[in-house]
Amino acid sequence: MPLVSLMIAVLCLAFSAPFAGAADPIRIGAVVSATGPASFLGEPEKNTLAMQAEAINAAGGLLGRPVEVIVLDDETDVNKAVLAADRLLKKDNVVAVVGPTVSGNTLAVAPKFVAAKVPLVSMAAAEKIVKPVSPWVFKTAQSDRLAVARILAHAGKAGHKKLAILTVSDGYGQAGREVLKELVPAGGFELVADEVYGPKDTDMAAQLTKIKGASPDAIICWGTNPGPAVVAKNRVQLGIATPLYMSHGVASAKFVELAGEAAEGLLLPAGKLTVVSQLPEADPQKAALAAYAKAYEERFKTPASAFGGYAYDGLMLVAKAIADGKDASPAAIRDKLEKIKGFAGITGVFGFSPEDHNGLDESAFVMVTIAGGEFKLLADK
């Protein structure tokens, strides 16, 4: 598909008055899945990038220069993500890129940024994006390992011993399955069933029937919409009362909408934005979370989601690296990103290092349940 046919939205075209006659803008790229199967992730990311770019410019830009964020929609297609990365690197000459939205697309484009020596700050979850560490690749989404650890800690306290897993066969699901197969036995649990479904499957009754036959104490489903909603509905249809954990990939109102009453009682790790009003006042992220949630809802007339938070963190981390280093060159941005500590963002409190390009720990997640169609914070026990 020709590059010119890619959907492109250039944000921040109208710079504030102080930029009249100023130097060229600092160009930051972004690749989002604004359309396609992952649009429920990419749309709030695209919106957030527009909102935050305007906020940066309203505050005076960076280094006395306006910021221009160039957003390309990969339509949740890996080939279009590759084309988008090529355009940003070769035509737009961006100093850094935020994205892509999904793990498979990120893994496909990451080598291009290493070769070009331009920092990439992914918004996707797969741990393998940053393990092993590449000097030029970072990510803002919490790693699968942190989510699995949260689930297993809750399952252990609940007395569950035998676990079954049901994972989607895409990049996100495969990455989660690898971590689950490692951490379930390492945590002293018995893995009694390991089932997989396709990202386009519309019925998972066969897999759930096999799982039911293995008599697990709890089931862990790993995927993003719409598959997990189908799993939730099939579970109810089959009369399975076994507790069902979901991954953080469904921590949005869209999942509750898709699953309907079948979402009731499900358990999952989620970013704190999902339950911001329920957080204690002392939480280090609460002020940033509340401000972001208020600004987003006022601007777009819909609640903010944790997925938009990945974009917020990606852009604001790049902006902080530029401001800290007083240098907007790709190499300087990379070096300063790696030194950021204690940055209280939307996804968590980031602390990067040469050995850690995700910079988050388990505190980036809280455990929630779904009750009355709403996410409810579960107290740590």
Side-chain angles (χ1 to χ4, degrees), residues 313-329:
D313 292 334
L315 181 58
M316 300 310 285
L317 284 163
V318 169
K320 178 173 173 55
I322 292 170
D324 287 352
K326 298 180 174 58
D327 189 335
S329 68

Side-chain angles (χ1 to χ4, degrees), residues 95-245:
V95 297
V97 168
V98 178
T101 297
V102 298
S103 296
N105 292 7
T106 296
L107 293 168
V109 305
K112 292 181 176 290
F113 290 86
V114 176
K117 296 186 177 180
V118 172
L120 176 71
V121 185
S122 173
M123 299 181 288
E127 186 178 53
K128 63 176 64 176
I129 292 167
V130 291
K131 281 195 175 182
V133 172
S134 164
W136 297 94
V137 182
F138 300 78
K139 77 183 185 79
T140 58
Q142 307 98 323
S143 286
D144 309 319
R145 183 171 300 270
L146 302 179
V148 172
R150 269 292 193 176
I151 290 172
L152 295 182
H154 187 276
K157 289 175 183 176
H160 303 318
K161 300 295 185 183
K162 299 190 296 180
L163 302 179
I165 62 174
L166 177 56
T167 58
V168 66
S169 60
D170 60 13
Y172 177 77
Q174 289 173 351
R177 181 170 177 264
E178 288 178 14
V179 177
L180 284 163
K181 291 184 69 176
E182 174 192 345
L183 295 188
V184 166
F189 301 92
E190 180 184 358
L191 183 60
V192 297
D194 175 9
E195 294 292 325
V196 177
Y197 67 90
K200 295 183 179 180
D201 288 356
T202 57
D203 188 283
M204 288 66 152
Q207 293 95 323
L208 284 168
T209 298
K210 290 181 182 178
I211 287 172
K212 183 178 181 180
S215 300
D217 297 324
I219 303 166
I220 302 172
C221 174
W222 204 270
T224 57
N225 296 330
V230 176
V231 171
K233 290 179 177 179
N234 286 161
R235 168 178 172 263
V236 172
Q237 291 163 356
L238 292 168
I240 298 174
T242 307
L244 176 59
Y245 291 91

Side-chain angles (χ1 to χ4, degrees), residues 31-44:
V31 181
V32 303
S33 297
T35 58
S39 61
F40 72 99
L41 304 171
E43 184 177 8

Side-chain angles (χ1 to χ4, degrees), residues 61-116:
L62 294 169
L63 311 182
R65 298 164 61 186
V67 170
E68 180 181 333
V69 178
I70 302 170
V71 180
L72 300 181
D73 177 15
D74 66 18
E75 302 174 40
T76 325
D77 181 283
V78 67
N79 295 317
K80 292 173 185 176
V82 170
L83 290 173
D86 283 338
R87 173 171 179 154
L88 291 170
L89 290 170
K90 297 175 182 178
K91 179 180 178 181
D92 297 310
N93 297 315
V94 296
V95 297
V97 168
V98 178
T101 297
V102 298
S103 296
N105 292 7
T106 296
L107 293 168
V109 305
K112 292 181 176 290
F113 290 86
V114 176

Side-chain angles (χ1 to χ4, degrees), residues 354-379:
E355 297 77 34
D356 183 358
H357 278 196
N358 187 208
L360 298 170
D361 59 25
E362 286 182 40
S363 68
F365 280 119
V366 289
M367 284 300 297
V368 304
T369 189
I370 299 170
E374 302 288 339
F375 291 102
K376 302 295 182 183
L377 178 65
L378 294 173

